[in-house]
Amino acid sequence: MLIDQPRPHVTQITLNRPERMNAMAFDVMVPFREALEEVGRDNGTRAVVVTGAGRGFCSGADLESPGRIPGIEGLTVSTIALRSMELLDDVVRAMRRLHQPVIAAVNGPAIGGGFCLSLAADIRIAADTARFRAAGINNGLTASELGLGYLLPRAIGASRAFEIMLSGRDVDAAEAERIGLVSRTVPGGELLDAAAELAERIAGFSRPGVELTKRMLWSSLDAASLEAHMDHEGLAQLFVRLTTRNFEEAIQARKEDRPPVFGD
């Protein structure tokens, strides 16, 4: 796992097993989850970029060298299987739980579980070499894993999600942009700069404003009704408006023709 800071207040986490296309071996995913949790506790980090080393973003399950699951001594095969899925599920949950927005810089194939990882991010930017595949169906399993059956229909709509997951076909970068699976596609050599630039822009806004916007957007996907969600949004907006001087600073900065400086 590589962790660095390409821009002020921006942390980049790179899955670093390029010889295996950053496959989801347990000795990769456990450090990745720990890195996410560490970055989440870093108050100097205001936005996070996740990418893969080499030619791929993440190729999903490592069928040749899966690594060892920690803490399984004395367990049966059935329980070990449950623990393994729980561990991988926790990676997706960790991305969702981060205070900071997460940008997936999808630099190449995002296959199976790698597709799921990209969808767990808040924003996806793809290199023109990226492609996505719900690979479980191709392997005689279900295509729905690690939240994919929940996240994909919400990202691109039910009909497209059904077709992609049931066909097991590849979605290339151009189609991914067209259907809204990614925000945009850029040439591979520009990907990390594009992701870091967006992350730096986000990092310049109010910390509670950004954190609550992320929280409200994810909450909207689970909202039982428009009324329920509007209540949450209203409370979040009032919280920031009444407990900070951000609005006043934004107005003053506009009058002085300068960028606002949010001190929260």
Side-chain angles (χ1 to χ4, degrees), residues 8 11 24 70 81 88 121 131 139 150 155 181 183 208-209 227 261:
T11 295
M24 298 176 76
L88 296 175
R131 56 188 172 89
N139 296 327
Y150 178 91
L181 178 57
S183 299
E227 292 293 332
V261 178

Side-chain angles (χ1 to χ4, degrees), residues 39-262:
V39 168
R41 292 189 294 267
D42 176 17
N43 293 334
T45 296
R46 306 285 288 269
V48 178
V49 175
V50 173
T51 192
R55 297 182 298 109
F57 178 72
C58 177
S59 60
D62 193 322
L63 303 179
E64 294 184 15
S65 181
R68 181 167 175 78
I69 306 166
I72 60 170
E73 292 75 13
L75 298 180
T76 64
V77 171
S78 298
T79 308
I80 290 171
L82 291 172
R83 293 288 187 275
S84 66
M85 288 307 301
E86 183 179 64
L87 189 154
L88 296 175
D89 286 345
D90 280 346
V91 173
V92 172
R93 294 188 187 105
M95 293 179 72
R96 283 282 302 271
R97 280 196 302 261
L98 279 188
H99 301 295
Q100 306 94 331
V102 179
I103 301 168
V106 185
N107 55 302
I111 308 298
F115 191 1
C116 305
L117 281 185
S118 72
L119 278 164
D122 304 302
I123 300 168
R124 285 164 296 285
I125 301 176
D128 50 13
T129 54
R131 56 188 172 89
F132 303 83
R133 185 195 310 152
I137 203 80
N138 302 89
N139 296 327
L141 306 173
T142 74
S144 188
E145 57 180 336
L146 303 180
L148 187 62
Y150 178 91
L151 295 168
L152 188 59
R154 287 162 170 77
I156 63 172
S159 181
R160 284 194 174 109
F162 271 75
E163 188 263 330
I164 289 168
M165 293 178 69
L166 288 170
S167 70
R169 69 175 179 84
D170 282 357
V171 176
D172 65 21
E175 181 184 2
E177 181 175 9
R178 179 174 61 80
I179 66 177
L181 178 57
V182 302
S183 299
R184 56 190 160 116
T185 297
V186 299
E190 300 175 12
L191 177 65
L192 293 182
D193 280 343
E197 182 180 354
L198 176 58
E200 187 176 32
R201 175 180 173 85
I202 292 170
F205 292 122
S206 153
R207 187 194 302 270
V210 168
E211 291 187 11
L212 283 168
T213 298
K214 169 175 175 169
R215 190 178 301 183
M216 289 301 101
L217 281 164
W218 281 114
S219 175
S220 74
L221 299 179
D222 292 324
S225 68
L226 174 62
E227 292 293 332
H229 182 68
M230 288 175 67
D231 286 343
H232 290 155
E233 284 187 330
L235 291 173
Q237 188 75 298
L238 284 173
F239 173 81
V240 180
R241 178 67 183 92
L242 298 177
T243 63
T244 74
R245 299 288 295 173
N246 288 346
F247 185 72
E248 288 79 6
E249 165 61 12
I251 297 300
Q252 190 63 33
R254 201 167 293 129
K255 289 179 179 178
E256 298 174 3
D257 194 24
R258 60 172 176 82
V261 178
F262 301 118

